[in-house]
């Protein structure tokens, strides 16, 4: 008998395969690679339907204002204009952004770019001309812009329909994690270090801006969209528009990047849908790059104060933290994580006494939301930067300091981290991890960077260049699934031997259709190419999670495995009499079904399929079960950086990054390594160049294009050594967890720590730009 599985599925988990794996663990090419590089891939913005209208939206140019008057008469009279939407003809209508309900066209605007007028016309130029003819009179109101300044003042009275969704739960509310006795912990410390760290607002910079095409036939709504979750979009569109969900179909076959920004249905889709329903004609709506920056979510800007106490031998005795987060104008638990910063501080390193506080502040800057490793990256930047500060004060090696305080248990579970039951969380519990290889990750990353030669490299000088090495570790609660843990998969085996895997997820660029075909193929005993994946469409699939939070593989993977195993067993029932064996004696591999005790007794997989009833194909179904309260599921890793700082220009050149990550086991190592590369690019930009810059008086975003918003290019990417530190985690399909969200979390801290190693100056304010470096060097010279 095969060992019983712990796989997180509803019903009885299928038994583990008792043979070597033939598909899982192979570096197969992504299925959509050829279509994308040849230009054959059809994105939502490429869809063209007969008699299609083109829509544009007029956004408010102020972060906070009240609409006094809207005159659309000239726009409506313009030849070619088919429909105009304003607050006057949409009263009571709400859209949903990250499941946050918002007035579609409010009288009182709460952030720059919020929608005021939408038009649909025969062509895009007419639509833009119509917007130019709209006359809007505003009363410009004093905006709340900066979190600290806003927090010092009482909340302003609301005007007209002004609202800040979720503010009753999150605005100025203190969320706390504590354990032990913080005062006693600092009394026991031989060294106490306190410092403040700040991180900036940053943007997703997806290659494809938001674009949708919507068709309405009077009964059914069909949407071609650019989002990360078709089922989430289907459900919220139905709610907003008063439709039966069965009459809404959402399709996303290709997506040009999301990084969390497109996790739920986005606001443009609602306006396109309403215009389509008004006119009875298909409507296309696509954001420009400038509109993309202004109208959609960003990463939160944060300020974090950390105070740590440690004994002379390096043992941590106390950690105090206060984190302040600029939430923007709207939030719920889907797009703001009220203890995510302090969760990392509570769990990454072992410390018996902690008092950690996170406060969110509503402002009139842009709305915020998931951005690859959302609050993880700010949290890890502050925490891992401070670990190096304390190690310096102790005159202790930073790697040795981390290993000295290695945490074997977690104190706050993933559900409590996103949906805390109370504002104050006393965490004295110790939850074991299902698997953890963080110590191995730290050792492998530092070994690959040449950690033992760190001092000799930092002392070597080449003209104006100074070289340094730094490291950082991390854990995150992404990559293991989130509530409601709902995911379904179906595998159909047909008489002609064809196999269909039906999953309601989007391939957002991470290779989801490749990964899930590999899981199904392994269970069935066929090649991945034998499995056709039906995906990115609510028609023909059941509910699948949005591909954000690195949740697709850990949530849907178990369901796919269960579905394929069930389909295989049904096929074995047909094969058993043909092979004169019991069903439990059969196995499948490499396109054959055989008897385990006598592999010479076999039949081709397709030959057995020929015996399937043509009118009753085999179907296997799978359904994900919730994560248990214990053990704790997480993903882990460490990165080490070697870089050069030019003390004359302030330029930082990263020479090498060694990144060791624990995602469980890799279904497809090539795709996991690609995720590491992409995450490092995010982390490098966040550390050194990317920053939303606002006018300090008006609050308007100033750098609204990819020329002024400085993302790294291929010329900025160093030599990368990617290491997969694999481990068994039987709760997931072939032990595979998510690999996308976490790979940028430690990068900024590792870069910052390497800069200190190079020039002996701590930088606590991101991004670390050349002007900051030059100013700090000059200030250091003056102090001598």
């Amino acid at each position: 008998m095969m060992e019983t599985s712990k796989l997180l599925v509803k019903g009885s988990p299928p038994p583990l395969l008792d043979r070597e794996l033939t598909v899982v663990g192979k570096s197969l090419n992504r299925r959509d690679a050829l279509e994308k590089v040849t230009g054959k891939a059809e994105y939502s913005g490429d869809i063209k339907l007969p008699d299609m209208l083109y829509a544009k939206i007029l956004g408010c140019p102020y972060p906070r204002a009240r609409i006094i008057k809207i005159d659309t008469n000239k726009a409506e009279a313009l030849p070619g204009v088919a429909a105009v939407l304003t607050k006057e003809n949409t009263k009571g209508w709400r859209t949903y952004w990250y499941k946050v309900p918002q007035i579609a066209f409010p009288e009182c605007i709460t952030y720059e770019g919020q929608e005021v007028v939408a038009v649909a016309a025969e062509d895009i130029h007419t639509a833009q001309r119509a917007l130019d003819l709209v006359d809007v009179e505003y009363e410009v109101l004093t905006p709340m812009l900066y979190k600290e300044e806003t927090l010092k003042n009482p909340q302003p009275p609301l005007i007209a329909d002004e609202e800040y969704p979720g503010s009753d739960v999150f605005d100025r509310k203190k969320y706390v994690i504590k354990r032990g006795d913080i005062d006693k912990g600092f009394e026991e410390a031989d060294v106490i270090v306190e410092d403040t760290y700040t991180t900036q607002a940053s943007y997703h910079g997806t290659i494809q801006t938001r674009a949708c095409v919507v068709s309405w036939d009077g009964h059914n709504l069909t949407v071609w969209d650019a989002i990360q979750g078709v089922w989430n979009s289907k459900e919220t569109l139905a709610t907003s528009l008063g439709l039966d969900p069965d009459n809404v179909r959402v399709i996303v076959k290709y997506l040009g990047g999301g990084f969390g920004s497109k996790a739920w249905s986005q606001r443009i889709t609602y306006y396109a849908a309403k215009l389509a329903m008004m006119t009875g004609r298909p409507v296309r709506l696509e954001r420009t790059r400038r509109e993309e920056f202004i109208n959609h979510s960003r990463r939160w800007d944060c300020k974090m104060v950390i105070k740590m106490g440690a004994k002379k031998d390096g043992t941590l005795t106390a950690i105090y933290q206060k984190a302040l987060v600029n939430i923007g104008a709207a939030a719920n638990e889907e797009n703001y994580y009220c203890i995510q910063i302090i969760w990392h501080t509570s769990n990454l390193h072992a410390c018996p006494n902690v008092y950690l506080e996170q406060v969110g502040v509503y402002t009139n800057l842009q709305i915020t939301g998931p951005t690859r490793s959302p609050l993880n990256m700010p949290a890890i930047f502050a925490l891992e930067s401070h670990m190096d500060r304390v190690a310096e004060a102790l005159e202790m090696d930073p790697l040795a300091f981390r290993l000295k305080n290695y945490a074997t248990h977690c104190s706050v579970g993933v559900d409590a981290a996103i949906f805390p039951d109370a504002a104050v969380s006393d965490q004295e519990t110790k939850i074991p991890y299902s698997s953890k290889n963080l110590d191995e990750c730290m050792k492998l990353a530092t070994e690959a960077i040449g950690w033992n030669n760190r001092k000799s490299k930092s002392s070597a000088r080449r003209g104006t260049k100074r070289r340094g090495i730094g490291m950082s570790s991390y854990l995150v609660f992404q990559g293991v699934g989130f509530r409601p843990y709902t995911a379904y998969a179906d595998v159909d085996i047909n008489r002609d031997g064809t196999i269909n895997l039906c999953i309601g997820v989007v391939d957002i660029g991470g290779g989801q259709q490749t990964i899930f075909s590999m899981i199904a193929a392994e269970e069935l005993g066929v090649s991945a190419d034998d499995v056709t994946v039906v995906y990115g469409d609510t028609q023909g699939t059941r509910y699948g999670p949005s591909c954000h939070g690195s949740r697709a593989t850990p949530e849907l993977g178990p369901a796919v495995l269960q579905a394929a195993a069930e389909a295989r067993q049904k096929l074995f029932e047909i094969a058993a009499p043909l092979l004169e064996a019991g069903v439990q004696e059969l196995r499948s591999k490499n396109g054959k079904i055989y008897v385990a005790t006598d592999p010479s007794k076999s039949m081709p997989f397709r030959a057995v399929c020929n015996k399937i009833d043509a009118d009753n194909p085999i179907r296997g179904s799978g359904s994900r079960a919730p994560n248990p309260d214990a053990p704790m599921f997480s993903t882990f890793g460490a990165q080490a950086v070697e870089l050069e700082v030019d003390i004359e220009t302030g330029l930082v050149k990263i020479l090498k990054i060694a990144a060791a990550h624990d995602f469980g086991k890799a279904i497809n190592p090539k795709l996991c390594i690609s995720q590491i590369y992409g995450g490092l690019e995010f982390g490098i930009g966040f550390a050194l160049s990317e920053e939303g810059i606002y006018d300090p008086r008006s609050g308007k975003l100033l750098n609204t294009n990819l020329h002024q918003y400085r993302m790294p290019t291929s010329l900025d990417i160093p030599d990368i050594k990617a290491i997969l530190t694999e481990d068994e985690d039987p709760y997931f399909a072939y032990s595979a967890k998510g690999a996308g969200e976490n790979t940028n979390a430690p990068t900024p801290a590792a870069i910052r720590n390497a800069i200190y190693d190079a020039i002996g100056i701590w930088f606590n304010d991101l991004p670390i730009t050349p002007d900051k470096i030059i100013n700090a060097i000059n200030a250091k010279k003056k102090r001598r």
Side-chain angles (χ1 to χ4, degrees):
M1 287 292 293
M2 288 179 282
E3 182 184 345
T4 301
S5 170
K6 296 180 180 179
L7 193 69
L8 291 168
V9 292
K10 293 179 180 177
S12 299
L16 300 174
L17 294 180
D18 59 351
R19 60 165 172 81
E20 75 278 8
L21 302 181
T22 60
V23 180
V24 166
K26 302 293 189 293
S27 288
L28 304 185
N29 290 331
R30 276 175 24 182
R31 289 191 164 207
D32 58 0
L34 186 62
E35 290 92 337
K36 287 184 174 179
V37 299
T38 58
K40 292 182 179 179
E42 191 174 56
Y43 294 81
S44 58
D46 299 321
I47 302 295
K48 291 181 173 60
L49 301 178
D51 204 28
M52 188 167 69
L53 296 170
Y54 294 79
K56 290 288 289 183
I57 295 175
L58 178 68
C60 177
Y62 308 107
R64 186 169 180 247
R66 182 179 184 181
I67 298 173
I68 303 301
K69 182 185 70 173
I70 300 178
D71 186 348
T72 60
N73 289 329
K74 291 180 180 179
E76 294 178 55
L78 183 68
V81 172
V84 177
L85 294 176
T86 71
K87 66 183 182 68
E88 301 303 329
N89 60 353
T90 59
K91 293 185 185 299
W93 180 37
R94 286 183 177 269
T95 63
Y96 290 82
W97 168 83
Y98 286 111
K99 217 174 179 180
V100 178
Q102 293 179 286
I103 301 171
F105 293 103
E107 178 181 331
C108 194
I109 302 298
T110 56
Y111 55 91
E112 182 188 5
Q114 193 165 7
E115 293 80 1
V116 176
V117 178
V119 302
E122 298 295 334
D123 58 70
I124 195 69
H125 303 292
T126 302
Q128 183 59 57
R129 175 63 179 148
L131 291 187
D132 294 339
L133 293 173
V134 173
D135 182 23
V136 185
E137 180 183 341
Y138 297 100
E139 176 191 358
V140 179
L141 304 172
T142 302
M144 302 175 287
L145 299 178
Y146 304 106
K147 51 190 178 295
E148 289 178 281
E149 182 180 318
T150 299
L151 197 58
K152 292 175 184 176
N153 299 309
Q155 294 168 312
L158 300 181
I159 296 173
D161 62 356
E162 182 177 19
E163 66 175 14
Y164 297 88
S167 59
D168 56 322
V169 178
F170 300 121
D171 188 26
R172 308 176 186 227
K173 300 294 192 301
K174 185 188 299 183
Y175 286 85
V176 173
I177 294 174
K178 64 178 182 176
R179 66 173 173 266
D181 185 331
I182 191 71
D183 294 329
K184 181 182 176 184
F186 282 119
E187 288 172 4
E188 294 174 348
D190 297 309
V191 171
I192 297 175
V193 179
E194 181 175 352
D195 218 332
T196 301
Y197 304 85
T198 60
T199 59
Q200 72 279 28
S202 65
Y203 291 80
H204 304 81
T206 57
I207 193 169
Q208 179 194 22
T209 62
R210 283 157 181 77
C212 67
V213 172
V214 183
S215 176
W216 170 251
D217 66 4
H219 186 66
N220 295 301
L221 191 76
T222 303
V223 180
W224 291 264
D225 214 339
I227 51 169
Q228 294 172 239
V230 288
W231 277 91
N232 286 352
S233 179
K234 172 189 176 84
E235 293 177 355
T236 51
L237 280 167
T239 300
S240 172
L241 299 168
L243 300 175
D244 186 325
D246 290 341
N247 299 125
V248 178
R249 179 185 180 188
V250 180
I251 304 166
V252 182
K253 287 301 179 185
Y254 297 94
L255 181 66
F259 311 120
S261 70
K262 302 171 184 174
W264 285 81
S265 54
Q266 301 298 305
R267 286 171 66 84
I268 67 164
T269 314
Y270 296 92
Y271 301 109
K274 180 70 83 171
L275 289 165
M277 295 171 74
M278 285 180 65
T279 61
R281 296 171 61 182
V283 172
R284 179 183 187 275
L285 180 52
E286 184 171 9
R287 292 290 195 194
T288 65
R289 181 61 64 184
R290 181 178 184 278
E291 291 168 342
E292 185 82 356
F293 268 103
I294 291 174
N295 289 78
H296 287 282
S297 61
R298 61 176 175 87
R299 193 190 304 271
W300 311 260
D301 53 290
C302 306
K303 177 181 179 180
M304 294 151 287
V305 177
I306 300 183
K307 180 181 176 182
M308 278 187 188
K311 294 181 179 180
K312 290 178 182 179
D313 67 354
T315 303
L316 285 171
T317 61
I319 307 177
Y320 166 87
Q321 181 176 34
K322 183 172 182 178
L324 194 59
V325 182
N326 189 329
I327 295 177
N332 70 4
E333 68 274 5
E334 294 290 344
N335 76 305
Y336 173 62
Y337 317 116
C338 59
I339 64 169
Q340 189 175 46
I341 290 176
I342 58 178
W343 181 88
H344 290 84
T345 309
S346 173
N347 291 295
L348 181 54
H349 304 294
C351 182
N353 307 296
V354 302
Y355 180 88
L356 316 170
E357 183 180 299
Q358 182 173 325
V359 178
V361 183
Y362 274 59
T363 69
N364 296 113
L365 291 186
Q366 278 100 345
I367 47 183
T368 54
T371 312
R372 191 174 191 171
S373 200
L375 284 168
N376 310 91
M377 197 153 55
I380 295 298
F381 168 70
L383 177 58
E384 286 295 88
S385 294
H386 205 69
M387 285 291 287
D388 266 40
R389 283 293 310 274
V390 178
E392 176 80 2
L394 290 166
E395 299 182 352
M396 190 172 184
D397 179 90
L399 171 61
F401 183 44
R402 287 169 173 83
L403 293 172
K404 175 75 174 178
N405 294 286
Y406 190 74
T408 58
H409 293 77
C410 173
S411 65
V412 186
V414 60
D415 286 341
I418 300 180
F419 311 102
D421 294 327
V424 178
S425 179
D426 286 294
Q427 294 297 337
E428 302 292 347
T429 58
K430 290 186 177 180
I431 308 169
Y433 289 101
S434 59
S435 67
K436 185 179 182 182
N437 263 342
L438 178 55
D439 52 348
E440 188 70 13
C441 290
M442 288 191 283
K443 293 171 185 176
L444 288 171
T446 52
E447 179 183 339
I449 208 71
W451 189 260
N452 291 338
N453 299 322
R454 182 167 171 254
K455 289 186 178 180
S456 62
K457 288 189 177 184
S458 62
S459 61
R461 299 188 175 192
R462 188 169 61 87
T464 60
K465 308 291 177 59
R466 303 291 182 268
R467 190 167 289 200
I469 290 177
M471 71 156 296
S472 172
S473 63
Y474 80 90
L475 89 164
V476 299
F477 53 62
Q478 290 99 321
V480 297
F482 291 135
R483 290 197 316 201
Y485 303 107
T486 303
Y488 299 98
D490 297 293
V491 171
D492 296 330
I493 306 177
N494 303 301
R495 184 184 177 90
D496 62 0
T498 56
I499 302 166
N500 294 325
L501 167 62
C502 303
I503 48 176
V505 297
V506 176
D507 191 330
I508 66 170
Q512 281 77 10
Q513 56 170 318
T514 307
I515 293 165
F516 294 125
S517 69
M518 293 176 70
I519 292 173
E522 189 67 79
E523 282 297 308
L524 293 170
V526 299
S527 77
D529 289 339
D530 292 328
V531 179
T532 298
V533 184
V534 179
Y535 71 101
D537 193 338
T538 56
Q539 183 171 292
T541 66
R542 294 190 289 160
Y543 183 91
S546 170
C547 288
H548 72 283
S550 301
R551 65 193 301 177
T553 297
E555 281 191 39
L556 192 58
V560 170
L561 191 155
Q562 183 184 34
E566 183 178 292
R568 180 195 65 222
Q569 291 305 110
K570 290 180 179 180
L571 189 63
F572 281 2
E573 291 174 7
I574 296 174
L578 300 175
L579 290 169
E580 299 179 340
V583 171
Q584 296 303 317
E585 297 178 76
L586 300 185
R587 305 289 184 268
S588 56
K589 182 177 71 172
N590 296 328
K592 289 187 176 182
I593 297 175
Y594 61 94
V595 179
T597 56
D598 185 5
S600 65
K601 295 176 65 175
S602 67
M603 288 184 68
F605 189 93
R606 285 181 175 269
V608 179
C609 292
N610 290 337
K611 304 299 182 180
I612 297 173
D613 184 345
D615 297 325
N616 188 27
I618 286 174
R619 165 159 282 202
S621 297
S623 177
R624 177 63 147 79
N627 288 5
D629 293 335
M632 175 64 187
F633 304 124
S634 289
T635 55
F636 312 88
Q639 292 175 6
V641 173
E642 182 179 357
L643 53 73
E644 241 175 21
V645 181
D646 190 321
I647 60 172
E648 194 169 79
T649 65
L651 291 174
V652 175
K653 182 179 181 180
I654 300 175
L655 304 173
K656 182 179 179 180
I657 298 180
H661 294 268
D662 174 8
F663 310 133
K665 286 205 167 184
I667 299 294
N668 186 319
K670 178 186 286 188
L671 298 186
C672 286
I673 289 172
S674 293
Q675 290 299 315
I676 292 174
Y677 274 65
L680 289 173
E681 187 271 344
F682 251 80
I684 291 169
F686 194 65
L688 298 178
S689 62
E690 296 184 39
E691 180 178 18
I693 299 172
Y694 303 90
D695 182 285
R697 299 183 68 181
S698 70
K700 291 170 67 68
L701 181 65
L702 300 177
N703 52 336
T704 57
N705 57 61
L706 295 179
H707 174 65
Q708 294 172 317
Y709 183 81
R710 304 301 297 275
M711 296 169 60
T713 70
S714 58
L715 299 177
D716 301 303
I717 305 304
D719 176 36
I720 295 171
K721 173 67 173 176
I723 305 165
L724 301 178
T725 310
E726 296 189 314
D727 198 7
E728 296 284 349
D729 201 329
Y731 296 90
F732 301 96
Y734 302 108
S735 299
K737 294 183 273 194
E741 190 85 5
N742 29 27
T743 53
N744 58 333
T747 314
I751 291 172
R752 178 263 192 188
N753 293 338
I755 291 173
Y756 174 78
D757 189 50
I759 61 174
I761 300 173
W762 300 112
F763 290 90
N764 296 354
D765 177 37
L766 293 185
I768 307 171
T769 51
D771 60 306
K772 292 179 183 177
I773 291 175
I774 292 298
N775 290 337
I777 290 172
N778 290 336
K780 184 178 180 180
K781 288 177 180 177
K782 289 179 181 178
R783 290 194 298 269
R784 288 177 179 171

